[in-house]
Structures are given as structure tokens and as C-alpha cells.
Amino acid sequence: MKHLYDARPADRVLGETPRRLKLLAAELTALSVLIGTLYVLALSGDATSFARLQARTTEVSATGDLYYELDDMDAQAADALLVGFHPTDPSMVPVAVDAAASAAAYQHDRSAADADLALIARNPQLTVQAEKLMDGLGDYEALIAQALYVDQGTQNEKPAAPPAASLGSYTQASSLLHAKLLPASLKIADADSAAVDASYSGDRADATGYGYAVLGLALATASAMMLGNRYHARRFRRRLSWLAGGAVVCLVLGFLGLATQSHAAEDLEDAKKNAYDSINALTRAKAVSDDANGDESRWLLEGRTPALQASFFQNVSSVAALPDVSSDAASSDPQAYYSGLSSAVSAVHLDAAANSISGVQFGGYLGAESGNITFPGEGQAAYDAAQAFNAYLQDDAAIRADAGHGDLAAAVALDIGTRPGQSNYTFGQYMAKLAEVIQINDTGFSSGVSAGESETDAASWTTMLVGEALLLMAIARSAHVRLREYQ
């Protein structure tokens, strides 16, 4: 009998056959458990990613709504003062937009803004900013209340001619809103949106990474099992062992893991890039458009100042930027923007059957949406929104022309009019078309999240657990059979 130091190094380390069988089983078990652990982390990560995306976008929706509500509060207050609570000619003021109706809409926006601020303040990272915004909003509301109170006591008010005290309070409030409150609101929205972007990038990379990690480990484990099967064949004269079956199960688990994670990454992209990004851009377009509409009323109300004309064209250029007409150029020469927008919108080609838009020559939020057409019916809805926006701008051209000719009453009547061909009607049509595009993307977002959540449902967990159990059983059974044969 050889002495121990005469044995081969492998024999001294691994020992006799029973020890080798046990070591092989232990190594394969460890690899299999690691596969299961990675699979669990992947599925758990997916569930967390979709839950986090849905939760954060709910908060981002509140920040976007807040920006719109603040804009609309100011626009409604301007409309109330534009026509007056006791106009000289009540017949020119539609009931739907008279001072009382505008004041009621202002109060509705105020309540909604308070609710959104309360929701935003729940985020510890935004609490301080939200509280500062609440304080500033209180000052704004006090000034608007004073402006409306004074106007309510004024009789026989001419269009766009509120009492000096009322106009002074409103002007001070509107300056506060545009100088401090809206920038603060936009800063909150940008911070929240950036957080969603960062979270999405990390979550999508994690989903893809876990998929390839599961597959790579499964391939390595399957190779180890086949080497183990070869050892069994040479040592015990058995071509196939339970390890061969385990290798097949391992490969199935690996490719299922990759497929599951790839689908999760695709669903994340569908929900975030294709839907949420459009919702975010269109929600901004809604808020900025409402701010522009308010600028239009404020321009009439506050003496047609160049600053308010510049603000209007800065806002509309954010919605639909023209490459050859900057916002400054549009402010100096409005007709250049009206004509340029009309030509750009006319050049857009809709292929409804293919759900696509081509020939887009404008940028801004509507341009971004036109380049992100994904969901059924989205092409038609985006095309209609661009057409409606152009119609609203052509009404604005008529309003400024009337005011330029000295016919302020006609300009105000066109601005507040609710019949087809009048500005408030046309603006309402545009906002309705914008809402349709948002709704299509909102549905797409919900579908993407639901599809992603289905990747981590009970069936996925059951498949993983059953596969892991079969894998461990194959390892255990193989070791047991070979040890029994050896004995």
C-alpha cells in the first residue's frame, strides 16, 4: 500500500471517489443556489422598479398639474377682470366665461393646487420647497382676493378697464406668480422628472444585467454538470446520469431568466420612454399653453405691454418652436410666427394606417411628441393637436389685429368668445385634442406597467421555484445513486 505522500496531488486534495462525489454535489448545489438567488433578486428588482415608476410618476403628475393650476388661476383671474363683474354690455359676455364663472374656476384651481402641494410635501426631499411655495401662494391669493373684491363693487365696467386699485393688486399678484411661484413649481417638476429619469436608467440596466447574469451562471453550471456527468460515465460506466437532466433544467432556467428580464426591460422602456416621456412633454405643453392663453388676456388687460407679448410668444415657442422664427423675433414680428406655424403645420403628413407622422418642421413639446408616436391612434391625435394649436394662434392674430386697430371691445369679445371661430372655443378644442394624446399615452403607460408587473407574478415565481427544485433534486439524486453504487 502506497504511503499518503506517494499519492497524486488531486487524490490528496479530493480524496477517494465518495469524497469526490460529495464535493461535486456540494459545488453544483452552491452554483444552483446562486442561480436561484440571482433569479429572486431579478424578480424582486423588477417588482420594485415598476412599483417605483408608478409611484414616482404619480408624484410627477402632481407637480405638472400644479404648474398648470397656478397658470390657470392667474388666467381665470385675468379673465374675470377683463370683463368685470358688472360690465357695461353684459350681452357680449358668455355666461360660461363671465366674471362669476371665471372666479369659480379660479377657486377650483386654488383647491386643486393646495391638494397637489400637500401631496408633493410628503416627499421629504421636496418638503422645504413645497412649504415655501405654499407661503408664496398665500400672498398671491390675498392679492387676487383684493383685486376681485374691488372689481365686484364697480358698476358699468368697460372691457379691459378694471378699477386702478383692482388692476394694481392683480398686476402685483401676477408678477409674484411669474417671478417666483411658477419658477419654483417648475424647479420641483424638473427635480422630480430628473429623479424618474435616473431611476429608470438604473432599473433598466439592472433588469438587463440580471438577465445576462442568470444566463451566464446557468451556462457555467450546466457546463459543470456535463463535466460531472462525464466523470460519472468514466468512473461508473454510465453514459447519462441525473446531472444531464439537471443541465437541461439549468439551461431552461437560464434562458427563461434572460427572456423574463429582457421583457421587463422592454416593458420599462414602453412605460417610461414611449409613454411617460410623452405624458411629461404634453403635460408641460398643456400648462405652458394655458400660461400663453393667460398672457393673451393679460396683454389686453394691462395695456398691451411688449413684455406680455414677449411672454406669450416665448410660451407658444416652447409648445411649437420654429427653426427660422425665434421667440424674440416672433415678439417683434408676430406675423412671422403665425405664417411660419401655419406653413409648418400644413407640411405635416399623417399616415393614419401606419400610425405615423412625417414632415414635422417644428420643435418644442408638440415636436417632441410627433417624434415619439408609439401607441394606436397616437399619430392621428398628435396631428389633430398640432392643427388645433395652429387654429388657436390664428385667432390670436385676429385679436392682436383688432387691438392694433383700436377696437378693444372686439378684441376682448373674440378673446373670451365661446362660439366656433372665437378664441376661447378654439383654445378649448386645442386643449381637448391635447388631452386625447395624453390619454392615449396614459393608457400605454398603464399597459406597460401592467405588462411589467406580469413578469413578476405568481407564475414567474412558480416557474423559478419549480426549476430550482428540479435542479437541486437532480444534483441530490445523482450523488445518492452514485454513492449507493459505489458502496
Side-chain angles (χ1 to χ4, degrees), residues 434-480:
L434 205 57
E436 287 180 18
V437 194
I438 293 174
Q439 181 57 53
I440 288 171
N441 281 279
D442 193 51
T443 300
F445 176 80
S446 297
S447 297
V449 170
S450 296
E453 290 175 339
S454 70
E455 300 293 341
T456 60
D457 62 8
S460 298
W461 283 94
T462 299
T463 299
M464 183 274 293
L465 292 172
V466 169
E468 185 71 10
L470 290 174
L471 199 55
L472 293 174
M473 184 184 71
I475 296 169
R477 181 64 178 167
S478 174
H480 174 73

Side-chain angles (χ1 to χ4, degrees), residues 371-404:
N372 194 28
I373 305 299
T374 307
F375 306 105
E378 188 176 2
Q380 179 73 64
Y383 177 84
D384 291 345
Q387 298 288 332
F389 181 72
N390 178 54
Y392 167 67
L393 263 294
Q394 303 314 312
D395 281 353
D396 179 76
I399 290 171
R400 293 181 196 273
D402 284 342

Side-chain angles (χ1 to χ4, degrees), residues 108-429:
H108 178 271
D109 288 333
R110 175 186 174 184
S111 297
D114 289 342
D116 282 332
L117 270 172
L119 175 61
I120 294 167
R122 295 177 190 172
N123 183 340
Q125 296 178 344
L126 300 176
T127 300
V128 174
Q129 297 178 59
E131 288 177 348
K132 288 182 179 178
L133 194 53
M134 286 178 186
D135 292 340
L137 186 56
D139 295 337
Y140 170 83
E141 291 169 353
L143 288 167
I144 292 296
Q146 179 66 19
L148 296 179
Y149 175 76
V150 172
D151 194 76
Q152 285 174 333
T154 303
Q155 302 297 319
N156 300 318
E157 189 173 321
K158 293 181 180 180
S166 180
L167 181 58
S169 293
Y170 171 77
T171 302
Q172 186 179 351
S174 187
S175 297
L176 171 64
L177 181 82
H178 287 85
K180 293 185 178 181
L181 303 186
L182 286 178
S185 174
L186 186 59
K187 187 175 181 180
I188 291 174
D190 287 343
D192 236 9
S193 183
V196 172
D197 289 342
S199 177
Y200 159 75
S201 297
D203 289 344
R204 192 176 188 281
D206 287 346
T208 303
Y210 272 126
Y212 283 107
V214 170
L215 176 61
L217 187 58
L219 289 173
T221 305
S223 298
M225 286 187 167
M226 292 308 298
L227 288 174
N229 182 77
R230 183 182 177 187
Y231 171 72
H232 287 184
R234 294 175 61 186
R235 181 68 181 81
F236 296 94
R237 303 291 189 266
R238 300 287 188 272
R239 290 188 177 182
L240 292 176
S241 72
W242 282 88
L243 291 182
V248 173
V249 172
C250 200
L251 291 174
V252 170
L253 269 180
F255 283 106
L256 278 177
L258 177 62
T260 298
Q261 294 309 112
S262 297
H263 290 155
E266 290 171 3
D267 292 333
L268 270 174
E269 181 174 8
D270 210 32
K272 167 60 175 64
K273 298 289 288 184
N274 297 335
Y276 166 78
D277 283 357
S278 284
I279 294 170
N280 198 29
L282 293 169
T283 301
R284 296 281 182 98
K286 175 184 173 184
V288 172
S289 297
D290 197 66
D291 194 20
N293 194 43
D295 283 336
E296 189 178 67
S297 295
R298 287 188 287 271
W299 182 76
L300 291 171
L301 181 64
E302 298 182 30
R304 282 71 70 199
T305 64
L308 283 170
Q309 181 158 296
S311 179
F312 175 85
F313 283 103
Q314 184 177 8
N315 280 324
V316 297
S317 294
S318 296
V319 177
L322 299 179
D324 299 327
V325 185
S326 68
S327 60
D328 289 340
S331 177
S332 301
D333 180 13
Q335 189 57 48
Y337 185 84
Y338 302 138
S339 300
L341 180 65
S342 184
S343 297
V345 170
S346 297
V348 175
H349 175 70
L350 168 70
D351 187 340
N355 191 35
S356 66
I357 293 177
S358 59
V360 178
Q361 300 173 7
F362 50 84
Y365 297 125
L366 291 182
E369 165 56 20
S370 298
N372 194 28
I373 305 299
T374 307
F375 306 105
E378 188 176 2
Q380 179 73 64
Y383 177 84
D384 291 345
Q387 298 288 332
F389 181 72
N390 178 54
Y392 167 67
L393 263 294
Q394 303 314 312
D395 281 353
D396 179 76
I399 290 171
R400 293 181 196 273
D402 284 342
H405 295 147
D407 194 349
L408 196 57
V412 171
L414 181 56
D415 178 54
I416 65 173
T418 57
R419 297 192 305 273
Q422 294 181 311
S423 184
N424 262 356
Y425 175 87
T426 307
F427 184 74
Q429 292 294 301

